[in-house]
Amino acid sequence: MTNEVTVPLLPCASIDDIVTFYEVLGFNTTHKQRKPNPYVALQREDLHLHFFEIAGFDPEQSYGSCLVLTSDIGALHRAFAAGMRTAYGKVLVSGTPRMTRPRARKNYDGVGGFSVIDPGGNWIRVVQKAATTRTPATTSAGRLAKALANAVVQGDSKGDVQQAVRILDNALARPQADDDPVAQVEVLVYRAELAMVLHDQETATEMLGRVDRVVLSADETERAAPTFETAADLAAALR
């Protein structure tokens, strides 16, 4: 048999909150019921997500997760980000719901990905299809790039923000003369993002301030352009 379709069925505390959030991301409701059990089916092009409501459900304790394979993670992330900016005036980078930015995943063999954490606490993990994977923007094998890769595994894949913070803080505490400035910018911006997840606005502001003081050549500035866009989103979220 071919052409089978698997649709994730995920828990939430409120299907109404789920619908409101996913409409921001461009989804439409294809089915919604209250009885015998609260249930909603959502669709965005070929992406289908279904949710069921549980009374008293705590999103912070959710283990709900699924993978979404796409040929262009950048385009999907930009579409989701645009929806958030229109609805909320900013990209949601802290709290629940929120969205991480596309990054190469060491534990996915370098394949890029990002995650949407929805109001039900479900992690929708968007991953670039391996056959169409493009070379990541950062190819440095320096210590900062390695620290960033390890931190992304902990923070973005496992959701262990505290461990990701420890990895980055350790790397930032011992700067070296041959550190790649672009990797430094990426580490600082990711550290700022993690600080915001932890509701630590003081550290987030400090890290973004340090980004502005990194000296870059014209070529390095171009390489770091996507990271500067993320920094701008973080700065807007701090206001």
Side-chain angles (χ1 to χ4, degrees):
M1 299 291 291
T2 60
N3 300 318
E4 292 88 351
V5 176
T6 299
V7 178
L9 182 55
L10 301 167
C12 66
S14 166
I15 59 172
D16 293 329
D17 290 347
I18 287 289
V19 169
T20 297
F21 174 70
Y22 278 98
E23 284 180 345
V24 167
L25 303 187
F27 284 76
N28 296 312
T29 300
T30 59
H31 174 76
K32 186 177 182 181
Q33 67 180 44
R34 284 291 174 189
K35 295 180 180 180
N37 301 298
Y39 185 96
V40 66
L42 303 173
Q43 180 178 358
R44 184 186 190 279
E45 299 179 342
D46 292 331
L47 177 53
H48 298 260
L49 298 172
H50 291 197
F51 298 87
F52 60 97
E53 183 177 307
I54 300 176
F57 182 76
D58 181 3
E60 294 299 322
Q61 302 301 317
S62 177
Y63 286 90
S65 183
C66 72
L67 286 177
V68 175
L69 304 181
T70 179
S71 60
D72 194 339
I73 59 171
L76 193 56
H77 186 273
R78 287 191 295 273
F80 287 175
M84 287 184 178
R85 291 189 185 100
T86 298
Y88 309 119
K90 60 185 179 181
V91 177
L92 302 181
V93 295
S94 63
T96 302
R98 67 182 184 276
M99 180 171 69
T100 68
R101 80 174 185 90
R103 296 184 178 91
R105 303 292 179 85
K106 175 183 175 182
N107 54 328
Y108 290 165
D109 295 326
V111 173
F114 71 92
S115 295
V116 173
I117 298 87
D118 70 21
N122 302 295
W123 284 63
I124 312 303
R125 303 173 188 272
V126 182
V127 180
Q128 187 88 19
K129 288 182 180 178
T132 57
T133 300
R134 293 182 291 240
T135 302
T138 299
T139 58
S140 170
R143 69 176 196 92
L144 289 179
K146 291 177 181 178
L148 179 63
N150 290 332
V152 168
V153 171
Q154 297 299 323
D156 283 10
S157 293
K158 296 183 177 180
D160 190 344
V161 176
Q162 294 287 0
Q163 180 60 22
V165 164
R166 284 190 285 270
I167 291 170
L168 296 185
D169 284 349
N170 182 60
L172 290 169
R174 46 188 183 89
Q176 298 179 11
D178 60 349
D179 284 340
D180 177 8
V182 175
Q184 183 180 1
V185 168
E186 292 176 337
V187 167
L188 288 169
V189 170
Y190 188 38
R191 180 64 181 88
E193 182 179 323
L194 294 175
M196 294 181 69
V197 173
L198 295 172
H199 306 290
D200 182 359
Q201 293 195 347
E202 182 178 352
T203 298
T205 300
E206 176 193 348
M207 295 298 155
L208 293 178
R210 290 175 62 176
V211 168
D212 293 335
R213 296 193 293 273
V214 178
V215 178
L216 300 170
S217 67
D219 176 67
E220 290 166 343
T221 299
E222 183 177 353
R223 286 170 52 206
T227 309
F228 282 123
E229 292 178 7
T230 301
D233 283 335
L234 297 177
L238 281 170
R239 291 196 289 268

